[in-house]
Amino acid sequence: MKKFLVYSDPFKGNIIPTLGISEKLAQMGHEVHYIGVPDVTDSISKTSFSYTTVFEEYYPRGIKHEAGKINARVITSIINGDFDELMKNHNPSAIIFTAYNPIEAVTFYLRYKIKTGLVYCHFPIGNDFSKNSFTDKVKEWSADMLMKDVNVEAVNILIDFLIQQGFKITSLKDVLSVFDGFYNLMTSSKDFLKEDAVERNNDLYIGPCIPEQDIFDSYYDTSALKKELSEQKEAGKKILYCSLGSWADEIDKEKTQMIISTILQTMQHDLLENYVLYISVGNLYDNYVHYNSDKIAVHRWLPQMAFLKQTEIAILHGGMGGIKESIMNGTPMIVFPLGLDQFENANRVEANGLGAKITAHSLNVETLASKINEIQNNKDIKLNLIKMKTSFEQASQNISHMVSLY
């Protein structure tokens, strides 16, 4: 048996894949212990895994986390040995960080000399994996963080520690060289990433990493929902599921509202006479609840996995989580990218023949109704989904290889 520590950032789309990895490790007989700020461990407390809450004074519950900002006090805490007791008690073989925390991962490695993995849950804007490996990319992201004025204090603390550890620091390249010894764990199949990424020996594609434990939708009565959906299908109705993500209104509220309004209007089109739409609109619920009818069910949130098992087509924003869940359920997709890595993901869905991409500026009722009808009757998409699911399942077997590396 091996012991693993998992350090996740608080974003839902990153916590979920770490749970998928942790469940696989536990099924193989290994021990997993989580480390995280309160917003992370509050979620982990709903699972079977043990956890330790850290940095509560720096990241109290509900605090907005600023992307790209390095907390100098966190770096100092790691360097000063605040994890010594935890490391002694658990004696882990390795620690797994989400790639959102690369500088914390570097600091932890330097302090404890423990084998380290970085989990990639997203594949963001500006990637050109045909020319760069994932190690190159994490170095690039980290360099951008280290060069920010807001991170000067943390950078100086880290460089001083590197020098104490015997590193010769002549440039930023020397600081980033630590990443050469990390394992990169991609929660995807290489086949899905059409960019034909440069691979190194420390790169592993480990599949969808979708957990069995549903910690975010556990308060829904999914049995009642399944019954409702079954009744709709028995009545000859076809189910459409739509979610533009929990961050949609923050990424681009105007675009999100335009897309939602067009989707709702499209439900009146003759081509969709036998369709019923279930749509999750998050914080915009009050704006759209009046659309509820026998053809439209507007919800604040919906349990996505329960719907993807029943729906004909998923209308999504293009986050990796929803795309992977659709693939593993064999559900064709229509993707409306809003920002972040969603444009690349929408391109990947289309290039792999798993559905369609529609941009906001080209969206209208006629286009969407035609696209839904076209995808519904496209047998090639169904076959492509089966092939991609197989590819993801095969990649999942690399988790065993990951363990052997540690």
Side-chain angles (χ1 to χ4, degrees), residues 124-137:
I125 292 170
N127 285 339
D128 185 355
F129 295 124
S130 63
K131 297 179 181 177
N132 299 291
S133 68
F134 281 90
T135 298
D136 293 328
K137 293 307 295 185

Side-chain angles (χ1 to χ4, degrees), residues 121-319:
C121 307
H122 309 280
F123 306 94
I125 292 170
N127 285 339
D128 185 355
F129 295 124
S130 63
K131 297 179 181 177
N132 299 291
S133 68
F134 281 90
T135 298
D136 293 328
K137 293 307 295 185
V138 77
K139 286 182 179 181
E140 181 183 313
W141 303 335
S142 300
D144 289 343
M145 294 171 67
L146 294 171
M147 293 296 288
K148 288 184 176 180
D149 291 342
V150 70
N151 293 327
V152 168
E153 182 184 0
V155 171
N156 288 335
I157 293 169
L158 179 59
I159 289 175
D160 286 344
F161 187 58
L162 279 162
I163 292 171
Q164 291 172 20
Q165 296 290 304
F167 281 77
K168 293 182 179 180
I169 307 299
T170 58
S171 69
L172 190 58
K173 184 178 180 180
D174 296 321
V175 178
L176 301 174
S177 65
V178 177
F179 288 111
D180 292 327
F182 287 8
Y183 293 101
N184 299 312
L185 311 173
M186 279 66 76
T187 57
S188 177
S189 155
K190 187 179 180 183
D191 292 331
F192 179 74
L193 299 182
K194 298 293 288 184
E195 294 82 354
D196 194 22
V198 172
E199 282 192 84
R200 293 161 52 114
N201 291 334
N202 59 340
D203 294 338
L204 280 178
Y205 293 87
I206 57 174
C209 302
I210 298 170
E212 296 176 6
Q213 300 176 77
D214 190 351
I215 61 173
F216 292 104
D217 296 326
S218 56
Y219 53 88
Y220 277 96
D221 183 357
T222 54
S223 60
L225 278 171
K226 289 176 183 177
K227 181 181 178 184
E228 180 180 337
L229 294 176
S230 294
E231 289 173 351
Q232 293 277 22
K233 289 197 164 190
E234 288 172 5
K237 300 298 182 182
K238 297 174 181 177
I239 309 298
L240 294 175
Y241 167 74
C242 176
S243 172
L244 298 182
S246 54
W247 283 32
D249 59 320
E250 294 185 37
I251 295 173
D252 192 327
K253 187 173 182 178
E254 183 178 349
K255 186 189 291 185
T256 299
Q257 290 177 315
M258 186 274 286
I259 292 171
I260 291 173
S261 296
T262 305
I263 292 170
L264 294 172
Q265 293 165 23
T266 303
M267 291 306 298
Q268 307 309 316
H269 198 284
D270 291 343
L271 286 174
L272 305 186
E273 181 181 359
N274 292 321
Y275 285 85
V276 177
L277 171 70
Y278 287 81
I279 182 168
S280 166
V281 296
N283 296 328
L284 300 174
Y285 176 78
D286 291 338
N287 296 4
Y288 297 103
V289 63
H290 64 279
Y291 279 91
N292 276 325
S293 67
D294 58 346
K295 285 180 65 68
I296 297 172
V298 178
H299 292 258
R300 193 178 300 276
W301 309 110
L302 287 169
Q304 185 157 279
M305 284 294 282
F307 273 89
L308 291 175
K309 295 178 188 299
Q310 301 273 359
T311 190
E312 308 293 331
I313 297 171
I315 301 173
L316 306 169
H317 62 302

